[in-house]
Amino acid sequence: MSSDESSKPTPPVPAPPAVPRPPKVPTPAAVAPAAPAAAAAVPQQSAEEIAKWGRVSEDGTVEVHEGDEWRVVGQYPDGTPDEALAYFARKFDDIAFKVRTLEQRHQAGGASASDLVKQAGHVLEEATDAAAVGDLAGLRERLNALTESLSEATALEAQKAKELIDQAIAERTALVERAEAIAAGDLSKVQWKQVTAELGELFDTWQAQQQSGPRLSKGISQQLWKRFRDARAVVDKQRRAFYSELDDAHKSARDAKTRLVERAEALAPRGIDGIPAYRTLLDDWKAAGRAGRKADDALWARFKAAGDALYSARAEQAAAEEADSAPKIEARQALLEEAKAVADEADIKRARALLTRIQRQWDDIGRIFPREKERALDDRLRVIEQALKAREEVDWKRNNPETKARANDMSSQLQEAIDKLEAELAAAQKSGDKKAAKAASDALEARRAWLSALGN
């Protein structure tokens, strides 16, 4: 401050109401020996810069130079002019630090442009009419330049945010439409475990998108949620109705199968004679329906045990019958060896008598168990019987009087035809008629073959 300026009286400029009065600065005598360590921070501006932008009147009023005018920023009456300027210079440094931080964050990248613009706006408000000493206009210019450079990035962020919101709406709409498609389907034919699992996955995806995705407007979010909730409610209602009906069906089947088990267990005293009745109960069991896996397994174990007891009795009886059939099998095998002579007997009557005796002895032996062995032995005897029957049919045809008479009559006719053809052949050969001779010769050869077939 020049001597001319100090000689002029400072006009009484009232301090702005929003600017707080700085605290009283302690006098050097009141400062403890350790005061240098706790002293206030030194302004980052040089003394020349502070003197350029600030001045202090005799009554401690501090002013800052902005444009072509001086503006009062506060009073510091209890300290020296240098202390007063340093105090308000540090206020400027605080604002300048915020400006540098915003510029560095913008240059480093990664920070949200819209957030930086908002913060720059707050700092700009703080730098406007600030109670500080320094190049406040320069700070505001830097802030305006920063805001302008962020405008394009802010627009891009807004566009990207809109695209993310549109994508989130499309994704949630797809979840809603899938849930509505499930609800609109024929729920009487679905696999409820699969449907429940799919709806659960849709709901989990919905929650994940809601937590990590962009925030949708309240109207769109509520509209989509209402559609999703209503579709899920329709499916849940049908699922509860299905399982209620299934529980009723299981209870009915469980009661019916319990009664079948009791009836099957009551057949035990009848032994093998109870098997036909058990088979009927088994058909009823298959028609009774499902009673639930746990109940079905337990009831089936009892039902099967009752049947096993009956079939065990039959197996014991079959084993006893098979043991009794061993000598019978040997006897029939011996008769089969004897029956081989039937085929070797040339006289058909004696062959028939031999087979008839073997058949009587065969029947006298009685039934053989198991039935498979009996059928195998019967099949071997039946082959011998059919061979003899075939021989008898051939013999009957050969020795039948009517057959012989027809054969003799046919032989006479063929012989007459042969005699006539021989005469025709001789006449044709004598006359040299080759064509007539050829026809007579062919016809004669055919008649002789037929006569030979008749055994003449």
Side-chain angles (χ1 to χ4, degrees), residues 291-310:
R293 177 176 296 179
K294 186 176 180 180
D296 264 338
D297 290 345
L299 291 171
W300 173 251
R302 291 177 56 190
F303 188 82
K304 184 175 182 299
D308 290 344
L310 300 178

Side-chain angles (χ1 to χ4, degrees), residues 191-325:
Q191 294 290 333
W192 279 107
K193 287 185 178 180
Q194 298 177 2
V195 170
T196 303
E198 184 175 2
L199 272 181
E201 291 176 359
L202 293 176
F203 182 68
D204 292 342
T205 304
W206 179 285
Q207 287 187 316
Q209 291 179 359
Q210 192 172 30
Q211 292 173 1
S212 61
R215 185 179 183 84
L216 306 184
S217 66
K218 186 176 181 180
I220 295 177
S221 178
Q222 288 182 346
Q223 180 185 10
L224 290 174
W225 171 246
K226 183 179 183 301
R227 289 173 59 189
F228 186 85
R229 181 191 60 198
D230 292 346
R232 215 168 48 140
V234 171
V235 176
D236 287 342
K237 181 179 179 181
Q238 292 292 330
R239 181 177 58 83
R240 289 193 297 270
F242 169 80
Y243 280 109
S244 177
E245 294 177 0
L246 185 63
D247 288 341
D248 293 340
H250 282 177
K251 183 179 183 302
S252 176
R254 184 168 61 251
D255 294 341
K257 288 186 174 181
T258 300
R259 292 190 295 269
L260 291 174
V261 168
E262 293 172 351
R263 292 170 59 186
E265 291 174 340
L267 295 174
R270 297 173 58 182
I272 191 173
D273 294 334
I275 290 178
Y278 180 80
R279 289 175 176 169
T280 302
L281 294 178
L282 182 59
D283 294 337
D284 295 339
W285 177 282
K286 295 177 180 178
R290 298 286 298 172
R293 177 176 296 179
K294 186 176 180 180
D296 264 338
D297 290 345
L299 291 171
W300 173 251
R302 291 177 56 190
F303 188 82
K304 184 175 182 299
D308 290 344
L310 300 178
Y311 286 107
S312 177
R314 189 179 72 172
E316 293 176 358
Q317 179 178 341
E321 291 175 344
E322 186 173 356
D324 293 340
S325 297

Side-chain angles (χ1 to χ4, degrees), residues 85-148:
L85 289 174
Y87 174 80
F88 286 98
R90 289 193 297 271
K91 297 291 186 183
F92 175 85
D93 291 342
D94 292 341
I95 301 173
F97 175 77
K98 295 178 181 178
V99 175
R100 284 196 305 273
T101 302
L102 290 174
E103 290 173 338
Q104 291 171 356
R105 291 180 63 192
H106 173 50
Q107 293 173 358
S112 172
S114 59
D115 289 344
L116 292 179
V117 169
K118 290 179 182 178
Q119 295 174 23
H122 295 320
V123 177
L124 182 61
E125 292 178 0
E126 187 177 352
T128 302
D129 297 332
V133 172
D135 187 8
L136 293 172
L139 289 183
R140 290 193 293 269
E141 289 178 1
R142 288 165 61 186
L143 288 170
N144 289 330
L146 176 63
T147 302
E148 184 178 354

Side-chain angles (χ1 to χ4, degrees), residues 130-199:
V133 172
D135 187 8
L136 293 172
L139 289 183
R140 290 193 293 269
E141 289 178 1
R142 288 165 61 186
L143 288 170
N144 289 330
L146 176 63
T147 302
E148 184 178 354
S149 66
L150 288 171
S151 60
E152 183 178 354
T154 303
L156 291 176
E157 282 187 359
Q159 178 63 27
K160 184 176 181 181
K162 183 178 182 302
E163 292 175 355
L164 291 176
I165 290 176
D166 292 342
Q167 180 181 355
I169 292 174
E171 291 174 351
R172 294 197 195 178
T173 302
L175 296 177
V176 170
E177 290 175 349
R178 178 53 191 156
E180 289 176 338
I182 294 174
D186 188 356
L187 297 177
S188 64
K189 299 178 180 179
V190 299
Q191 294 290 333
W192 279 107
K193 287 185 178 180
Q194 298 177 2
V195 170
T196 303
E198 184 175 2
L199 272 181

